[in-house]
Amino acid sequence: MMRSRKSNRKQNFNYASEGIYFITSCCKGRVHHFGEVINDVMDLNEFGLIAQNQILWLEKQYPYISLHNSVVMPNHVHILFEIAVGTGRDLSTSPINRTGRDLSLPKIKSVSSLIGAFKTTTSKSIHLAGNYSFSWQRSFHDRIVHDSRKYDLINKYITENPKLWSQDIFNKFTNPNYKEN
């Protein structure tokens, strides 16, 4: 009998709704697949560049996504993005199907579906590039950003993540020089 997994998501929240989301996704086993931090700067290898390009792909692929910030670290990624559902168009003449959905608007994917698309396309590209051992840790961590103070803290954290790598919790288990504060 399989145990049911506890959901990481906020209960009764529509993750396809407008909002700003902070996502962290780790490589399975926290293996350093994406490069290394040298002199407080992330030096992406071939696989890190693939991950970075797939983050940018999300914004191109889904017109309702606005990428605010991101960083690819040796064994994880941070992505700060916004889902903006409204288009500002006059919908009074828009075609409507039998279900009542406006066909001129894109179907908005949930955060889980968006990150699933990112992880799937990244994995496929990395495998095609020859790294067959690469895989993502199951699921991801998300935070819904509700106010400008938290937004500023998260944005700064993402930007400064390479400088703080020696103290990063995601580095703790793989770096023998990790120091607890």
Side-chain angles (χ1 to χ4, degrees), residues 13-25 54-60 62-71 77-85 108-118 140-146 151 154-155 158:
F13 182 81
N14 178 0
Y15 277 90
S17 64
E18 287 190 337
I20 299 175
Y21 301 90
F22 172 46
I23 306 299
T24 300
S25 189
Q54 290 312 114
I55 291 170
L56 299 173
W57 169 84
L58 278 172
E59 189 174 44
K60 290 177 197 158
Y62 303 102
Y64 48 86
I65 289 180
S66 176
L67 185 63
H68 288 228
N69 200 352
S70 65
V71 67
V77 299
H78 294 300
I79 308 170
L80 181 63
F81 69 93
E82 180 175 6
I83 294 178
V85 178
I108 307 300
K109 289 185 177 286
S110 69
V111 171
S112 291
S113 294
L114 293 167
I115 299 306
F118 161 74
F140 58 89
H141 176 77
D142 71 86
R143 177 174 287 167
I144 305 160
V145 183
H146 293 290
Y151 176 90
I154 290 167
N155 196 39
I158 292 171

Side-chain angles (χ1 to χ4, degrees), residues 169-180:
I169 188 68
F170 295 113
N171 193 22
K172 177 178 183 178
F173 302 106
T174 56
N175 180 359
N177 299 320
Y178 174 83
K179 300 173 200 137
E180 251 349 292

Side-chain angles (χ1 to χ4, degrees), residues 6-79:
K6 181 179 175 264
S7 174
N8 295 332
R9 307 297 151 247
K10 183 177 178 180
Q11 295 300 309
N12 302 316
F13 182 81
N14 178 0
Y15 277 90
S17 64
E18 287 190 337
I20 299 175
Y21 301 90
F22 172 46
I23 306 299
T24 300
S25 189
C26 298
C27 298
K28 187 172 185 179
R30 303 232 171 107
V31 175
H32 292 208
H33 284 284
F34 298 139
E36 59 184 317
V37 176
I38 301 171
N39 297 323
D40 297 336
V41 175
M42 183 60 201
D43 183 27
L44 296 173
N45 62 20
E46 175 184 9
F47 311 119
L49 289 170
I50 289 170
Q52 184 177 56
N53 286 335
Q54 290 312 114
I55 291 170
L56 299 173
W57 169 84
L58 278 172
E59 189 174 44
K60 290 177 197 158
Q61 182 70 20
Y62 303 102
Y64 48 86
I65 289 180
S66 176
L67 185 63
H68 288 228
N69 200 352
S70 65
V71 67
V72 177
M73 296 298 292
N75 62 1
H76 67 282
V77 299
H78 294 300
I79 308 170

Side-chain angles (χ1 to χ4, degrees), residues 154-171:
I154 290 167
N155 196 39
K156 182 179 178 182
Y157 173 77
I158 292 171
T159 300
E160 295 182 356
N161 207 231
K163 292 179 196 168
L164 304 172
W165 179 239
S166 65
Q167 303 303 308
D168 197 305
I169 188 68
F170 295 113
N171 193 22

